[in-house]
Amino acid sequence: MVAFGKYLQRKQIEEWRGYYINYKLMKKKVKQYAEQIQGGSQHPRHVLKDFSRMLDTQIETTVLFMLEQQGLLSGRLAMLRETHDAILEQPDISRIVELRESYRDVGRDLLQLLKFVELNAIGLRKILKKFDKRFGYRFADYYVKTRANHPYSQLQQVFKHVGVGAVVGAISRNLHELQENEGSFYSIYDQPVLPLQDPVVEAIKTAVDKLTHSTNFLNFLAQHALIMQDELVTPSEETFDERTYHFNSLLLNLGNTFLYMVNTYIIVPTADDYSMSLGAAATVCGVVIGSMAIAQVFSSVYFSAWSNKSYFKPLVFSSIMLFIGNLMYALAYDANSIALLLLGRVFCGLGSARAVNRRYISDCVPLRIRMQASAGFVSASALGMACGPALAGLLQIKFKFYKFTFNQSTLPGWVMAVAWLFYLVWLCISFREPLRDTEEEEKTNPNETTSMTDRVESSRVEEGLQKPLLITSGIKPEDEEDCNESEESQEDSHKPANSFRSAYQLLTPSVKVQLLIYFMLKYAMEILLSESSVITSYYFSWSTSSVAIFLACLGLTVLPINILVGSYISNMFEDRQILLTSEIIVFIGILFSFNLFVPYTVPQYVVSGLVMFVAAEVLEGVNLSLLSRVMSSRLSKGTYNGGLLSTEAGTLARVVADVTITLGGYLGRGHLLNATLLPSLVICIGSIVATCCTYNSLY
């Protein structure tokens, strides 16, 4: 494995050699500082000051050169503009072709500049990691925060692409104007969405996307999905992504996500009535709702493993299991069997293909639209969560056909069974199984394949810009001092985890805390949602329709809250600040939900529940956003990936919450509310304490 310093030296453009970060010099200085501190000739504070000044100088050299090159590109574009205006007055095909090629040349030079910035940013990240690893400081955190947030920050210029965006816009607009468009010269601003763009423009956009880690709404939603991103893909892998992508298959994948969430929450408003009609206590609704989550704990693992070999077969199996499960749920009423009711929900849980849904987007959707697909996954989940209770509120009819009863308790099962049957037919007709790597290799000319060594080298060097500058998982051995380390051990560091134990060992303390936070918020939300029908009927005598409206309104807050956080709040505050604040608000919401000294009122329940739910939604988005950025890259693929870990943590929280509701029912419905809120409060306090203890390690 080639060390990064050698790779940087080999990839440098000869004319620009003096403007790259001097990685080799800084590496030697780190070693020199270590010897000086060990010998007592240098104070650590002086070392930090000297190293900071060296980094500032290196970054200044790089940034000023980058701005100079942008100016040169802008000058060339201005000259081409004059030629362009002349051609528009007197069109000449040969001159148009020549001018288009000139614009493409500017685009190719811009690509070289982006690669220049990319290599320097990777070098900076690596030297900061090396410094922290050698001295045990959190200098990288301090350095980037102080520089990036300063109004005159030069470091910020590396990641703010205002100048680059202007150059890209000029190239794209002029190339579009020069296209033969049946005599029509529309501007790109008249057609915001261009189906086909020049390959050079597409390449530049891809390079900028790799270089940018923005916090806009789309990115926030995508990270909310916790679809782990692998190392930056090579051009050959991008081509493979394009060949595996099938739009109808993606829609079917998102359809599965939507229907499953509807299936999860459609029974919540009526689960207590259904339990009582079968001779059980109302609080058994906790077991009825939770049995689906219990089965999902196990189904997530085998679905994740199955997705290593196929996507179509797991989705077919999921649809069949959910169809059977909903039939059993609906027939339990006429069979007068609580066991059949629970078994039906278990079958539904065994059909949970959310691990496959996440994996399909991660593996089979091209990088250029993966963010939109990930956001679609979250949106489909949120819409399903809102539609489930709303649909239950509409099914307030009762009739009997032959020997089968159709009422508010059984209709959710019948409706979902029909929905899954239609989905299964659509799936079999329209889904296209994507080609696997092995299948693609058999169809590829051996002369065109990239060697494994080159691919590993490329992925190592390109990894830096996929992640933020400060992401240091502490897992991957990236210390380039160990140049004599065997190639096998380096390749092992890229292998995915092969068990829950190995996946757990890859988790840093801060990641474990974030999984605890995720457990806490899912527990609190499940308590609120699952016991809502029991609590509201006991205290306020709400009907099923009223409960359904309340739950639907809660579900409809998900997307607006994510828009607010993703577009505005996350740009004004650090993620860790939003994280801690949201935890405190969840704590306040739980605290005010208790029934203590005054008669329990509808405003108290609704307002406290809404505050807790909204804060938990904000917390979930920020928490998963942090997780997607700091989890080890080894958890981005394989069976035991980051998505599976988060799914298991959330599912276990739901199981524990539903069991808590059932056990709390033994104390009586009058004590159920406080009995279930108390564990929520304790877990919330624990997560706040854990967050405070690891606050400085959260980025």
Side-chain angles (χ1 to χ4, degrees):
M1 188 67 65
V2 179
F4 174 74
K6 293 181 180 179
Y7 188 97
L8 177 61
Q9 189 174 11
R10 194 174 73 230
K11 289 293 183 180
Q12 288 178 355
I13 299 173
E14 186 62 36
E15 295 80 4
W16 297 356
R17 192 171 292 277
Y19 302 101
Y20 286 89
I21 282 179
N22 197 332
Y23 181 81
K24 189 174 182 180
L25 172 64
M26 290 191 290
K27 184 177 173 181
K28 287 182 178 178
K29 288 293 286 184
V30 170
K31 185 177 180 180
Q32 182 182 338
Y33 290 145
E35 293 173 352
Q36 290 174 347
I37 291 177
Q38 190 174 6
S41 59
Q42 282 279 23
H43 192 277
R45 187 177 296 275
H46 179 76
V47 167
L48 292 175
K49 183 178 179 181
D50 189 54
F51 190 61
S52 297
R53 185 166 54 245
M54 178 185 291
L55 285 174
D56 291 340
T57 303
Q58 294 278 332
I59 293 171
E60 182 179 275
T61 301
T62 298
V63 168
L64 292 178
F65 177 76
M66 180 184 71
L67 295 174
E68 178 187 350
Q69 291 301 310
Q70 286 184 10
L72 293 175
L73 293 175
S74 300
R76 289 169 60 186
L77 287 172
M79 294 176 63
L80 291 175
R81 181 71 249 180
E82 296 177 3
T83 307
H84 192 167
D85 291 339
I87 290 176
L88 289 179
E89 293 178 2
Q90 296 181 349
D92 184 340
I93 296 299
S94 61
R95 293 181 65 193
I96 289 177
V97 172
E98 183 180 344
L99 183 58
R100 289 176 67 184
E101 193 58 36
S102 297
Y103 276 119
R104 291 192 182 102
D105 287 339
V106 176
R108 295 184 188 102
D109 289 342
L110 178 59
L111 275 174
Q112 291 295 324
L113 183 60
L114 290 173
K115 291 177 182 177
F116 167 82
V117 177
E118 180 179 349
L119 282 173
N120 281 288
I122 295 172
L124 179 61
R125 185 179 69 85
K126 285 181 175 292
I127 201 65
L128 286 169
K129 286 184 68 176
K130 185 177 291 296
F131 188 90
D132 281 358
K133 189 172 183 179
R134 177 61 72 95
F135 298 104
Y137 300 144
R138 295 201 59 81
F139 172 73
D141 185 19
Y142 162 78
Y143 183 81
V144 175
K145 279 196 304 182
T146 54
R147 268 63 176 176
N149 294 327
H150 196 277
Y152 304 129
S153 168
Q154 290 177 326
L155 180 63
Q156 208 172 44
Q157 297 302 317
V158 178
F159 303 103
K160 273 192 172 182
H161 309 306
V162 177
V164 172
V167 175
V168 175
I171 295 171
S172 178
R173 183 178 66 83
N174 286 288
L175 282 174
H176 181 67
E177 283 186 3
L178 292 170
Q179 286 178 352
E180 294 182 6
N181 204 6
E182 298 182 355
S184 176
F185 291 91
Y186 286 110
S187 167
I188 59 173
Y189 307 114
D190 300 321
Q191 304 177 66
V193 180
L194 298 176
L196 293 174
Q197 289 192 345
D198 193 274
V200 172
V201 177
E202 288 291 348
I204 294 171
K205 287 175 63 180
T206 301
V208 172
D209 287 343
K210 291 177 181 178
L211 200 60
T212 304
H213 190 84
S214 61
T215 54
N216 57 25
F217 169 55
L218 198 59
N219 191 25
F220 186 81
L221 278 184
Q223 291 173 329
H224 198 156
L226 197 61
I227 294 172
M228 300 293 293
Q229 301 290 336
D230 201 353
E231 306 292 339
L232 280 180
V233 294
T234 61
S236 62
E237 288 169 327
E238 287 184 17
T239 304
F240 176 74
D241 278 343
E242 294 288 347
R243 283 195 288 265
T244 60
Y245 174 61
H246 184 231
F247 179 71
N248 284 342
S249 299
L250 176 60
L251 282 182
L252 282 161
N253 187 66
L254 296 178
N256 183 280
T257 300
F258 169 76
L259 284 178
Y260 185 79
M261 292 302 290
V262 173
N263 212 142
T264 300
Y265 290 100
I266 193 172
I267 72 158
V268 172
T270 58
D272 58 333
D273 289 338
Y274 205 166
S275 300
M276 293 174 65
S277 67
L278 298 180
T283 52
V284 173
C285 69
V287 174
V288 174
I289 298 170
S291 56
M292 189 171 178
I294 292 173
Q296 188 180 342
V297 172
F298 303 99
S299 66
S300 296
V301 179
Y302 66 72
F303 270 114
S304 183
W306 202 350
S307 64
N308 291 326
K309 299 180 180 180
S310 173
Y311 297 103
F312 175 68
K313 292 178 181 178
L315 290 176
V316 169
F317 179 77
S318 166
S319 305
I320 294 173
M321 293 297 289
L322 283 155
F323 172 73
I324 296 173
N326 281 291
L327 274 183
M328 296 170 72
Y329 183 87
L331 293 172
Y333 187 90
D334 294 306
N336 195 29
S337 172
I338 190 70
L340 186 61
L341 181 73
L342 294 174
L343 191 59
R345 291 296 287 178
V346 168
F347 267 66
C348 289
L350 293 175
S352 170
R354 288 179 68 79
V356 178
N357 302 146
R358 282 191 173 104
R359 185 74 178 275
Y360 182 87
I361 294 174
S362 177
D363 292 353
C364 303
V365 176
L367 187 63
R368 62 183 175 84
I369 61 167
R370 194 173 299 162
M371 195 70 73
Q372 291 92 323
S374 302
F377 175 85
V378 176
S379 301
S381 299
L383 189 61
M385 183 180 178
C387 288
L391 187 58
L394 296 175
L395 301 177
Q396 301 300 303
I397 54 177
K398 184 176 182 180
F399 63 93
K400 198 159 186 174
F401 178 76
Y402 192 50
K403 295 182 179 180
F404 305 116
T405 303
F406 296 85
N407 56 27
Q408 66 174 14
S409 298
T410 62
L411 274 172
W414 290 115
V415 169
M416 292 312 301
V418 172
W420 283 111
L421 184 60
F422 277 107
Y423 175 82
L424 181 60
V425 173
W426 182 28
L427 183 71
C428 294
I429 294 173
S430 301
F431 191 87
R432 188 172 72 191
E433 183 75 78
L435 293 174
R436 296 282 165 173
D437 292 321
T438 53
E439 298 174 24
E440 187 67 21
E441 286 170 6
E442 291 174 0
K443 298 182 179 182
T444 305
N445 189 328
N447 295 327
E448 295 177 356
T449 57
T450 307
S451 70
M452 181 58 69
T453 303
D454 290 341
R455 286 173 122 185
V456 173
E457 285 181 21
S458 176
S459 66
R460 271 195 84 198
V461 174
E462 289 176 334
E463 69 179 348
L465 274 298
Q466 176 81 0
K467 305 173 184 178
L469 185 62
L470 282 181
I471 292 179
T472 55
S473 63
I475 306 298
K476 291 174 61 179
E478 294 188 24
D479 192 357
E480 284 78 27
E481 285 184 333
D482 304 326
C483 293
N484 296 325
E485 190 173 8
S486 68
E487 188 170 326
E488 286 186 12
S489 62
Q490 289 287 348
E491 289 179 357
D492 286 344
S493 69
H494 292 269
K495 289 182 179 178
N498 55 13
S499 66
F500 275 119
R501 181 178 179 182
S502 60
Y504 182 80
Q505 290 173 346
L506 292 173
L507 302 180
T508 61
S510 60
V511 173
K512 293 176 183 177
V513 168
Q514 288 173 78
L515 287 175
L516 171 63
I517 294 171
Y518 191 60
F519 180 93
M520 178 274 291
L521 67 92
K522 283 296 183 183
Y523 181 91
M525 291 170 69
E526 187 71 9
I527 288 291
L528 172 66
L529 298 175
S530 295
E531 71 177 12
S532 57
S533 58
V534 179
I535 296 300
T536 55
S537 63
Y538 177 77
Y539 286 103
F540 317 127
S541 301
W542 277 10
S543 64
T544 300
S545 298
S546 300
V547 179
I549 292 172
F550 172 67
L551 294 179
C553 289
L554 288 181
L556 289 173
T557 63
V558 175
L559 284 179
I561 291 301
N562 279 314
I563 293 174
L564 178 65
V565 176
S567 298
Y568 302 103
I569 296 178
S570 62
N571 291 324
M572 294 187 292
F573 303 98
E574 295 180 12
D575 281 354
R576 58 182 180 177
Q577 293 175 326
I578 303 174
L579 189 80
L580 184 57
T581 303
S582 300
E583 286 183 271
I584 294 172
I585 296 176
V586 170
F587 170 79
I588 294 172
I590 295 173
L591 195 62
F592 279 93
S593 296
F594 278 91
N595 179 23
L596 297 176
F597 308 112
V598 294
Y600 208 52
T601 62
V602 172
Q604 180 185 353
Y605 177 76
V606 171
V607 172
S608 60
L610 185 62
V611 167
M612 182 178 68
F613 187 84
V614 168
E617 275 299 321
V618 174
L619 182 60
E620 180 177 7
V622 177
N623 180 256
L624 293 183
S625 172
L626 285 168
L627 274 174
S628 69
R629 286 164 19 203
V630 301
M631 265 192 180
S632 168
S633 62
R634 291 174 62 186
L635 293 173
S636 66
K637 49 192 172 183
T639 301
Y640 301 92
N641 53 64
L644 176 63
L645 292 181
S646 66
T647 300
E648 292 292 82
T651 305
L652 283 172
R654 291 172 53 206
V655 170
V656 174
D658 291 325
V659 170
T660 303
I661 293 172
T662 301
L663 294 177
Y666 287 103
L667 300 176
R669 296 175 70 182
H671 299 285
L672 176 64
L673 180 66
N674 292 343
T676 52
L677 287 176
L678 186 59
S680 300
L681 192 68
V682 172
I683 299 173
C684 186
I685 292 172
S687 72
I688 293 174
V689 172
T691 302
C692 292
C693 292
T694 59
Y695 186 78
N696 290 329
S697 65
L698 299 174
Y699 301 114

